[in-house]
Structure formats: C-alpha cells, structure tokens
Amino acid sequence: MTTSAPLATCSGPGAAREGLGESPREGLGAGPFWALLAAVALVAGFLRFYRLSWGLEDGVIFPDEWVWWRRASAFVPLSCSSFEAIGLPLYPYPTLYGYIVGAFTALGTAIGAMEPPSPPPIRDLEVIGLARAVAALAGTGAVVVTGLLGARLYSRATGVAAAALLAVAPLHAWQTHYASVDPLLTLLFAAVCLPCATILQRGGAAPALAAGALAGLALATKYTGLSAVVPVAWAVLARAHQERSWRAFWIGASCAGVAFFAALLLACPTCVFEFPKHYGAMRWLQHVLWNTDAFPGYRLVPSVGWYGRPYLYELFATLPWGLGWPLYALSLAGVAFAVWRRTAADVLLLLAVVIPNFIVVGGTPLAFARYLLPIYPALLVLGARAALALPRPRLGIAVVAAIWVYSGWLSLAQIAGFSLEQQKEVARWIAQDARPRGARVAIPSTLLGYDALEPFLAAQKLGVVKVREGEWWMQRADYFVLPERLAAVYERGAPEGPIAQDVRRLRAGELGYQPVQSFEDLYPQRALYAWLDPGLHPALGAYGFTVYRREAEPAPRRRGRP
C-alpha cells in the first residue's frame, strides 16, 4: 500500500503535511501483510468459535437468546410477516441481526440441513447455535476489517498489529459465545471508517454512498449505532473544508444521506414504517435505564467506589476489564499519541468514533461493558500505531507481542471455562450427600435462568423449591444452593434490598443452614480484575455456588425484618 496523498490536517507537533499514511515508506510488503492478516483471522476465528456450543449440548440456552430464537422462527415459513417488528415492546432492538439469523434459518430448513423451529419450550437449539455463529463470524470479520483500517490509515504493520490485538481482546473474543448484536455492530463501526478515509483523501460520491450505507446498517443493528453517522459527517465536512467547496459538501452529504436511509429501509423496514413501535421501545429502554432499579449488577452505585458514576466507571472499570490491563494501557497511550499528533486519521478515529460513542454510552447510569465494543477497533489501531512509533521499532514489536501473548492466554483461559459443568457438579454432590434420596433443594428464583441450576437438580431426582426474594426464610428444604454471582450482584447493587438481607441471614446461619460445600468461580487473574467491581464476571455458566445443608431450625424471625 503506497503512502496516501497529503491532506489538510490539524496543526500540531509533528503533524504538518501528514496525510492518512504517516510512513514515507512501507516496511511490510503486500504479500506478507495478507499472509499475516490471514493468520490473525485464523486465531480470531478459533477464539470466537471455540466452545461456541456451550450449554446447547445440555439443552440450556442463555436467557437473552430467547429473542433471537423468536426472531428466527418467524422466518419459517418465510412470508411478509417474517419482517414485522416482533417483540419490540419488550426487546428494544432493530431488526438486522435477527434478519440475518432468520435468513440462514430459512435457508437451512429449505435445504434440509436443519429442522424447522419448534414452538416453546425450545427443543431445537440449532437456531441458537446458528445465531451464535453469525455473531462469531461478525467478530472475526471485525478483526480483519480492523487490520485493513490500520493499514489504510497508517501502515500495513499497524494494521497487522491492530488486528492481532483485537483478535485476543478478552471481551471481544468471548462476547460471541451467546447470541448478541454487539459483534455485528463493532464490525460495522470499523467498516464505516474505511470509506470515510477515502472521503478524506479524495472525496467522491462512491465512498460517501458506502459510508452512508454502513452507518444505516449500524442503526439497523442497534439504536446506539446512530453514532456511526458522526465519522461520516465529519469526513464529508473535512473534505469540503479542504476543497473550500460547498459543492463537495452537498454531493457528499446527499449521497451519504440517501444511502443511509436506503440501507435502513432495507435492513430495518419497521424502523421507517413502524417508527412509533421503535420509538416506544427506545422510550421503554430509557425508562428502564434511568427510572428503575433493573440490572443491579450493572447499575452505578456508591458501593462500587469513587468511580461508581457515569464516565468514570467506564474509564476505570469496564474498559480495563474488557480489554485487560495491558491492552487498556496501550490504548490510552495510543489516545495520548493521537492527541499529540492530530493527523486527519487521528481525528477520524478519536474525535469521530471514540469520543461520540463514549459520550453516548458512558453517560448512562448503567454500565454494560459490551456497549463500548464499537470503539475497540479504533482504540487498538491507535494503540498499535503508538507502539510501532517508538524510536526503536523492535521495542514496539516486542511490546505488541508481549501484550498479544498475555491477552491471548487470558481470553483462551476464560473461554475454556464456559460450561455448565459446575451446575452438574452441584447437583451430583447433593444427590450423593442426601440421605434419604430425593431431598428438597431450595434455590433463589431471582435470575433463575442465568444460574441454570433447576434442570440439573431435577435430573438427579431432587425436589426443587424456588424461593422468592424476601421469602427465603419461609421455605423448608434439606439444602439451599446460593449462586455467588447472585449474591455479588445484589450486595453490590442493592445492599439494603431483600435479597442482600436474605444472603446475610443465610450466611449468618439464621435460616437454619450451614455451608457444607463450595464451588468457586475461578478464572485467570481474578484478583486483578474482580476488585474493580464484583459485578463484573467474565465466565458464562461457572458463576460459583455454595451448598448449605439444613442443620437446625431457623432462628426466630424478628418483627419488621424481612
């Protein structure tokens, strides 16, 4: 890839007369670049497809995946109603990801490769596996596009390094292991920057059309995808300013706008024709985020610490947790270097991608780490560029290699633990310990689907007693199983609530149970990351459980105490 023609850039140290390509001469040839990028894609694909079927072999799905099964089942048989806004009042997502999963489901059933989706309860888990595969493909594609983006903006070496780092970024690697829209959204945010770079370099209608279409697809994937219009708008404005031409602005803006709405109409027709439903879903989501106590494990509360507030929590908890400390430190170095250099490529990634997404996501009173995934490609391109810009090139390569090895080990070790073996061990242990057989086991009904205990207890012929919040003391059972993830979530998010009080009474022996066996939620570097916030947990399935056995009658319930 040759160096781009110079562009008008922001003034600053070392920024004079720099264009999208900083290196006067490429140090990595085209052949080695494509070979290395293919190798990185293989690593990325392995991490994203490894253990992708966890839980499915046991007939258990992640509860959030129900919406995608429902969306895909509407495509068999295929009809006009398949494209309706299914489930919008309850599941506030646009339709693109569901359309893709539904299209593959319709194709698979048409050629006889899979059975048509059955009515509830879900018995055919092929659809869920297919939905996960779509997310895994999107995640792998995001790694490849990040490599192309780094090469396009800076150098081929930067592109390979950025792709390699994203391939092993922990949260990005394991987010595909349950069906979600975030990997696809991340891919689209990385992809939209490619035509934006072309707009900055030479303008034209074709790149504006491509950029607008990709931004429309981002909005059709998730409502926060609307932020993808910012890099498009900035590129069009910057090019028009460089040419000192209103004509360039109107051509770029009109082409991008037409393509945006055309892509949105194609990928989410209900967003246009049934806009009130989508608007209602967005209002419902805003109400849940701001005006309710939902998602206590992700709500910003003083108990987290001084950074338990908007923006600070993202900087000091979710980003270092999702990237891992070494990748996070490298990303911060990349941001600082970009602020110092301020080239057109720096501004595109930092001002038009990272900052708008951070403002939109970081300002909410909830902090889901995956919501910041769309900025990962930009952050890692900047980080790779900063590392390779060190005075000694070999030092930069060594830094990237060391971080890659650590992050790859961390991601692989976390993904290797995704299973429901812990739940099976809990059920087997109780069944062996119980005398006589057929003991009754109490489990909290809150977050029951996420803990996935019930089917395995039932398989061991154990009686299951579901206890509601504030009523743990009312139920009599031979054993009580406490999911430690549940305890951490409510002790963190609602320390004075009924569940946190129930947990304290259970642990104090006031409910008549004593701990007899524990199954820890071990994962690599737990001490390094869990202290950020006990609500952050990288494992899927292995949440940690403590088994309590009834030893005595519960202590008398104090008046006025739940």
Side-chain angles (χ1 to χ4, degrees):
M1 182 176 291
T2 59
T3 303
S4 304
L7 294 178
T9 60
C10 302
S11 60
R17 301 298 295 171
E18 285 186 346
L20 291 178
E22 288 191 315
S23 303
R25 184 175 55 210
E26 277 284 1
L28 184 65
F33 168 75
W34 288 109
L36 289 172
L37 189 59
V40 167
L42 288 176
V43 173
F46 171 77
L47 288 175
R48 283 148 187 80
F49 282 90
Y50 174 52
R51 299 197 63 80
L52 195 65
S53 63
W54 75 274
L56 300 184
E57 59 267 25
D58 299 307
V60 178
I61 69 170
F62 196 69
D64 293 9
E65 294 176 317
W66 166 256
V67 64
W68 306 117
W69 177 90
R70 186 181 180 190
R71 167 64 67 188
S73 65
F75 280 73
V76 181
L78 185 63
S79 65
C80 292
S81 62
S82 301
F83 300 92
E84 293 178 355
I86 298 175
L88 277 174
L90 187 57
Y91 300 104
Y93 288 105
T95 58
L96 178 57
Y97 181 73
Y99 282 1
I100 295 173
V101 176
F104 279 113
T105 302
L107 177 62
T109 55
I111 64 177
M114 58 189 297
E115 294 294 326
S118 61
I122 297 178
R123 294 187 300 274
D124 53 311
L125 302 182
E126 293 176 311
V127 172
I128 301 302
L130 186 60
R132 293 181 183 179
V134 169
L137 284 172
T140 305
V143 170
V144 175
V145 171
T146 298
L148 299 176
L149 180 62
R152 179 73 178 86
L153 296 180
Y154 300 109
S155 69
R156 295 191 188 105
T158 299
V160 169
L165 294 174
L166 183 62
V168 296
L171 179 60
H172 192 269
W174 72 255
Q175 182 59 42
T176 64
H177 287 75
Y178 69 90
S180 71
V181 302
D182 300 282
L184 178 60
L185 185 66
T186 304
L187 167 62
L188 292 169
F189 264 90
V192 76
C193 293
L194 288 172
C196 287
T198 304
I199 294 173
L200 288 173
Q201 185 180 21
R202 57 179 173 80
L209 287 169
L214 289 167
L217 294 179
L219 177 56
T221 301
K222 195 173 185 178
Y223 296 123
T224 53
L226 184 60
S227 299
V229 303
V230 179
V232 182
W234 181 83
V236 170
L237 285 170
R239 185 64 193 180
H241 175 72
Q242 180 185 351
E243 294 185 4
R244 301 293 193 271
S245 169
W246 280 106
R247 181 176 180 274
F249 170 76
W250 288 117
I251 290 176
S254 59
C255 289
V258 168
F260 174 86
F261 286 107
L264 182 64
L265 182 62
L266 178 65
C268 186
T270 60
C271 291
V272 179
F273 298 117
E274 299 182 40
F275 176 75
K277 289 186 177 182
H278 286 269
Y279 182 70
M282 288 187 281
R283 291 291 301 272
W284 174 84
L285 180 60
Q286 183 184 40
H287 169 74
V288 170
L289 294 180
W290 269 268
N291 302 322
T292 72
D293 294 326
F295 309 110
Y298 301 97
R299 190 161 294 278
L300 304 186
V301 290
S303 62
V304 173
W306 58 268
Y307 53 88
R309 47 184 52 86
Y311 299 115
L312 290 179
Y313 185 83
E314 306 290 356
L315 284 174
F316 294 98
T318 57
L319 278 174
W321 178 78
L323 286 166
W325 282 108
L327 267 182
Y328 179 58
L330 184 63
S331 299
L332 291 181
V335 168
F337 192 62
V339 171
W340 180 59
R341 300 299 292 269
R342 298 193 300 280
T343 67
D346 296 331
V347 176
L348 174 64
L349 295 180
L350 188 58
L351 187 63
V353 177
V354 175
I355 292 178
N357 277 276
F358 185 80
I359 291 175
V360 170
V361 174
T364 66
L366 286 179
F368 289 92
R370 59 188 172 89
Y371 285 3
L372 283 177
L373 275 175
I375 72 173
Y376 278 29
L379 285 177
L380 296 184
V381 167
L382 292 174
R385 176 273 196 107
L388 298 181
L390 290 172
R392 295 183 179 180
R394 291 184 179 180
L395 178 60
I397 294 173
V399 168
V400 171
I403 294 175
W404 185 84
V405 170
Y406 170 83
S407 302
W409 165 76
L410 183 62
S411 298
L412 182 62
Q414 289 179 351
I415 295 170
F418 292 176
S419 74
L420 299 175
E421 287 301 316
Q422 206 171 66
Q423 286 82 341
K424 297 176 186 178
E425 291 176 8
V426 170
R428 284 195 295 263
W429 189 93
I430 296 176
Q432 293 172 2
D433 184 74
R435 297 291 186 272
R437 297 288 181 181
R440 288 162 50 85
V441 182
I443 57 176
S445 61
T446 307
L447 300 180
L448 185 61
Y450 293 92
D451 299 327
L453 278 168
E454 185 177 6
F456 301 106
L457 295 173
Q460 293 290 338
K461 311 301 182 184
L462 298 168
V464 177
V465 180
K466 303 174 188 177
V467 294
R468 296 183 296 181
E469 61 181 54
E471 299 180 359
W472 291 13
W473 60 273
M474 294 178 61
Q475 302 292 339
R476 298 295 184 91
D478 303 295
Y479 296 86
F480 195 108
V481 180
L482 175 65
E484 293 299 332
R485 164 71 172 161
L486 174 71
V489 163
Y490 282 89
E491 287 176 325
R492 166 210 182 278
E496 301 305 320
I499 292 182
Q501 294 186 45
D502 284 337
V503 170
R504 288 194 289 269
R505 295 192 67 198
L506 175 66
R507 289 173 172 169
E510 296 181 21
L511 302 186
Y513 297 95
Q514 294 297 324
V516 291
Q517 185 68 23
S518 62
F519 301 82
E520 296 185 24
D521 57 336
L522 296 177
Y523 56 89
Q525 302 292 289
R526 185 176 189 273
L528 185 60
Y529 294 101
W531 67 270
L532 291 168
D533 184 351
L536 294 171
H537 194 289
L540 290 172
Y543 301 125
F545 299 92
T546 301
V547 178
Y548 293 78
R549 184 167 53 205
R550 178 170 291 281
E551 301 290 352
E553 290 299 314
R557 182 168 176 252
R558 299 176 185 177
R559 180 173 297 179
R561 184 176 184 179

